[in-house]
Amino acid sequence: ALADLVATGAPSVFLLIGQAQLDSGQHAQAVTTLQRILPQLPTGQRAQVTVLLSQALQKSGRPTEAIAVLRQAGDQPLTMQALADIYM
Protein backbone atom coordinates (compact mmCIF):
# COMPACT_ATOMS: atom_id res chain seq x y z
CA ALA A 1 0.00 0.00 0.00
CA LEU A 2 1.00 3.64 -0.33
CA ALA A 3 1.70 4.03 3.39
CA ASP A 4 4.10 1.08 3.30
CA LEU A 5 6.00 2.54 0.36
CA VAL A 6 6.22 5.93 2.04
CA ALA A 7 7.39 4.32 5.29
CA THR A 8 10.17 2.46 3.48
CA GLY A 9 11.67 5.62 2.05
CA ALA A 10 9.70 5.80 -1.17
CA PRO A 11 8.43 9.39 -0.82
CA SER A 12 10.96 10.44 -3.43
CA VAL A 13 9.31 8.01 -5.85
CA PHE A 14 5.93 9.59 -5.19
CA LEU A 15 7.43 13.05 -5.52
CA LEU A 16 8.61 12.05 -9.00
CA ILE A 17 5.20 10.56 -9.80
CA GLY A 18 3.47 13.74 -8.63
CA GLN A 19 5.85 15.88 -10.68
CA ALA A 20 5.27 13.70 -13.76
CA GLN A 21 1.50 13.89 -13.29
CA LEU A 22 1.71 17.67 -12.99
CA ASP A 23 3.95 17.97 -16.06
CA SER A 24 1.66 15.74 -18.14
CA GLY A 25 -1.50 17.67 -17.30
CA GLN A 26 -2.88 15.14 -14.81
CA HIS A 27 -3.44 17.87 -12.25
CA ALA A 28 -6.10 16.18 -10.11
CA GLN A 29 -4.01 13.02 -9.86
CA ALA A 30 -0.97 15.10 -8.90
CA VAL A 31 -2.99 16.75 -6.12
CA THR A 32 -3.94 13.33 -4.74
CA THR A 33 -0.40 11.95 -4.94
CA LEU A 34 1.22 14.99 -3.35
CA GLN A 35 -1.41 15.31 -0.61
CA ARG A 36 -0.76 11.70 0.37
CA ILE A 37 2.98 12.04 0.76
CA LEU A 38 3.17 15.51 2.29
CA PRO A 39 2.26 14.49 5.87
CA GLN A 40 4.74 11.62 5.72
CA LEU A 41 7.74 13.84 5.01
CA PRO A 42 10.03 15.39 7.62
CA THR A 43 9.34 19.10 8.01
CA GLY A 44 12.55 20.08 6.23
CA GLN A 45 11.54 18.19 3.10
CA ARG A 46 8.03 19.54 2.75
CA ALA A 47 8.67 22.84 0.96
CA GLN A 48 9.23 21.36 -2.50
CA VAL A 49 6.17 19.12 -2.26
CA THR A 50 4.10 22.01 -0.92
CA VAL A 51 5.02 24.16 -3.91
CA LEU A 52 4.21 21.34 -6.34
CA LEU A 53 0.91 20.72 -4.57
CA SER A 54 0.09 24.41 -4.82
CA GLN A 55 0.84 24.36 -8.55
CA ALA A 56 -1.32 21.27 -9.04
CA LEU A 57 -4.18 22.90 -7.13
CA GLN A 58 -3.89 26.08 -9.21
CA LYS A 59 -3.93 24.10 -12.45
CA SER A 60 -6.94 22.15 -11.17
CA GLY A 61 -8.86 25.40 -10.83
CA ARG A 62 -8.52 25.53 -7.04
CA PRO A 63 -6.54 28.76 -6.45
CA THR A 64 -7.93 29.41 -2.97
CA GLU A 65 -6.70 26.01 -1.79
CA ALA A 66 -3.34 26.61 -3.50
CA ILE A 67 -2.85 29.80 -1.52
CA ALA A 68 -3.98 28.15 1.73
CA VAL A 69 -1.46 25.31 1.30
CA LEU A 70 1.38 27.79 0.87
CA ARG A 71 0.28 29.94 3.80
CA GLN A 72 0.06 26.90 6.07
CA ALA A 73 3.66 26.03 5.21
CA GLY A 74 4.93 29.03 7.14
CA ASP A 75 7.86 31.31 6.39
CA GLN A 76 9.96 29.04 4.20
CA PRO A 77 11.73 30.86 1.36
CA LEU A 78 10.56 28.43 -1.33
CA THR A 79 6.91 28.55 -0.32
CA MET A 80 6.97 32.31 0.26
CA GLN A 81 8.36 32.82 -3.27
CA ALA A 82 5.62 30.57 -4.69
CA LEU A 83 3.00 32.58 -2.81
CA ALA A 84 4.45 35.82 -4.17
CA ASP A 85 4.39 34.35 -7.70
CA ILE A 86 0.65 33.68 -7.39
CA TYR A 87 -0.02 37.34 -6.69
CA MET A 88 2.20 38.66 -9.48
Side-chain angles (χ1 to χ4, degrees), residues 34-57:
L34 297 168
Q35 284 177 327
R36 286 183 178 170
I37 65 167
L38 189 60
Q40 306 295 326
L41 296 171
T43 303
Q45 296 177 5
R46 291 184 183 173
Q48 180 183 9
V49 175
T50 300
V51 170
L52 289 175
L53 175 57
S54 173
Q55 291 170 352
L57 286 164

Side-chain angles (χ1 to χ4, degrees), residues 2-64:
L2 179 63
D4 295 332
L5 289 171
V6 170
T8 60
S12 59
V13 172
F14 287 94
L15 173 57
L16 293 173
I17 291 170
Q19 178 71 62
Q21 290 169 326
L22 184 59
D23 291 346
S24 66
Q26 299 175 21
H27 305 129
Q29 294 90 336
V31 168
T32 299
T33 299
L34 297 168
Q35 284 177 327
R36 286 183 178 170
I37 65 167
L38 189 60
Q40 306 295 326
L41 296 171
T43 303
Q45 296 177 5
R46 291 184 183 173
Q48 180 183 9
V49 175
T50 300
V51 170
L52 289 175
L53 175 57
S54 173
Q55 291 170 352
L57 286 164
Q58 288 178 69
K59 292 180 178 183
S60 295
R62 298 159 63 183
T64 303

